[in-house]
Amino acid sequence: MYFSSDWKFLTICLGFNSANSLFFCPWCTITKKEISDIKKEWLISKQIDNINQYNGHHSTPLFNMISLENWIPDELHIMLRITDRLWSLLLHEIEETGYFNDVAREIIVKEMNRIKVNFHFWQEKECQSWSFTSLMGQDKLKVLQFFDLNKVLPPTRANVIRNLWNGFFDLYTAIRDPNTDPKMFKRDAKMWLKIFLTPSTGIPNSDNFVQGLYRPNDVTPYMHVLVFHIHEFIEKHKKWGLKSFSCAPVENKNHQQVTQFFRKTLRDGGNGINRKSAILQILEFENRKLYYICNDSHNIPNTIKLQI
C-alpha cells in the first residue's frame, strides 16, 4: 500500500507536526536547527510500528498499515513549493535593492507575457502590500526555465541565480525520470543545496565583496526532502517511478472546481434565490457527470459538456 499527497495532508494523516515545527520531517529525526547542515546524513529512520515514540508524532496515523517508506512526498508539490521559494527570494532581493517600483513590476509583467504566462501585480488596500498572480504548475515551470533574470538583475547576479534555477529544474526532471540513478541524484541534490547556501565573502561595500546567495533560514522542509530523502524513494520505488505517485491529476481537478464553483460571483451559490453551498454544487455536478458517463449517453446537456 502507498500514500502520496502534499505536505500538509500527509502530516495530518500521519498524526505529525506541521512543517514549521522544530521537528518537521515525517521521515527522519532532524530538527529545524539542523536543516541547513549538509555535512550530516539524514535517512528514513522512523518505523511506523512505533511512530509515536518519535518527537512530533502526536496522534496515531490514520493509515498505520502503510510502511513509512511508502508515504511518498508528491513530486508536483516539491516543484511548486521550491519554485515558490525561489521566486519569493528573487522578489525580496529586488525589494531590498529599492528597485521594486512600477517600472520593475511592469518589466516583470512584460517578461511573463513574453514567455506566455498570465501574470499581474495588484496592491492590497488594507495593508498597501503588493500581491501577484498565483501560478499553476506548468506556468511555474515556464518561469523556472525561461524567465530572463537579466531583465531585473545585474548580469553577473542574474547568471548566478539562473544557474541555481536551472539546477533545480534538472533535479525536478530527474525525479520524474524512471531511469534516474539514486546515487547521482543524491550527489547533485546536495551540490544544489550547497550552491543555494553559498555565503558572501569579503567586506560589504568594499571592492573584494562577493555577494552570496541565500541564508540557512531560507531552506525549506521541501528542500530537505529533495536533498536527503528523494534519492531513497527513487531507489525503493524504481519499479514504478515517483512520477507514478504524482498528485497532479488531483490538483488539476481541484483547480477546475475552484475556478468553476468558488469564483467570487458564484461563491456559495451566488446571491440568487437558488443559493446553495458550493460543496453541494460540486457533489451534484460530479454525480450528474458520472451518470452520463456510466450510461454512455450521447445526449449530454450543454452545461455538463462545458465542464467535462
Side-chain angles (χ1 to χ4, degrees), residues 46-64:
K46 300 177 184 178
Q47 299 294 325
I48 196 71
D49 294 335
N50 59 349
I51 198 74
N52 289 110
Q53 296 180 11
Y54 300 99
N55 289 317
H57 291 268
H58 51 73
S59 304
T60 302
L62 288 178
F63 311 109
N64 55 10

Side-chain angles (χ1 to χ4, degrees), residues 292 296-302 305:
Y292 284 104
D296 195 25
S297 175
H298 298 291
N299 299 316
I300 302 177
N302 289 331
K305 285 182 179 179

Side-chain angles (χ1 to χ4, degrees), residues 55-188:
N55 289 317
H57 291 268
H58 51 73
S59 304
T60 302
L62 288 178
F63 311 109
N64 55 10
M65 73 294 294
I66 303 176
S67 172
L68 197 60
E69 64 185 26
N70 288 349
W71 291 68
I72 303 170
D74 174 38
E75 52 88 13
L76 173 66
H77 280 86
I78 289 174
M79 184 276 290
L80 295 176
R81 299 291 84 84
I82 295 181
T83 302
D84 285 344
R85 176 50 63 100
L86 294 175
W87 178 250
S88 66
L89 288 169
L90 172 66
L91 293 183
H92 178 72
E93 182 168 336
I94 298 172
E95 291 173 357
E96 286 289 298
T97 59
Y99 293 114
F100 190 68
N101 50 30
D102 289 342
V103 174
R105 287 186 286 272
E106 183 178 357
I107 290 172
I108 292 173
V109 171
K110 285 183 177 179
E111 178 60 16
M112 289 293 197
N113 290 336
R114 184 189 69 82
I115 62 176
K116 304 295 189 294
V117 173
N118 184 26
F119 185 86
H120 301 282
F121 286 102
W122 66 90
Q123 194 168 24
E124 301 291 347
K125 295 181 180 179
E126 294 79 8
C127 57
Q128 299 300 308
S129 62
W130 287 91
S131 298
F132 51 84
T133 306
S134 178
L135 301 179
M136 293 293 292
Q138 289 303 314
D139 284 340
K140 288 184 179 180
L141 284 176
K142 288 181 182 179
V143 173
L144 195 62
Q145 289 180 270
F146 305 120
F147 189 91
D148 186 358
L149 294 167
N150 287 285
K151 296 292 180 66
V152 293
L153 295 172
T156 303
R157 184 67 175 171
N159 288 336
V160 171
I161 295 180
R162 169 46 59 197
N163 288 335
L164 183 73
W165 286 22
N166 289 345
F168 174 63
F169 178 77
D170 290 342
L171 289 174
Y172 176 64
T173 302
I175 292 175
R176 296 170 58 82
D177 184 352
N179 298 316
T180 293
D181 184 328
K183 293 181 180 179
M184 293 285 289
F185 183 90
K186 179 182 179 181
R187 183 201 66 185
D188 294 343

Side-chain angles (χ1 to χ4, degrees), residues 274-292:
N274 296 321
R275 179 187 181 96
K276 64 175 68 173
S277 166
I279 300 300
L280 181 59
Q281 287 182 315
I282 291 173
L283 292 173
E284 290 177 345
F285 165 70
E286 294 294 336
N287 190 46
R288 289 195 301 270
K289 190 166 71 170
L290 284 173
Y291 170 82
Y292 284 104

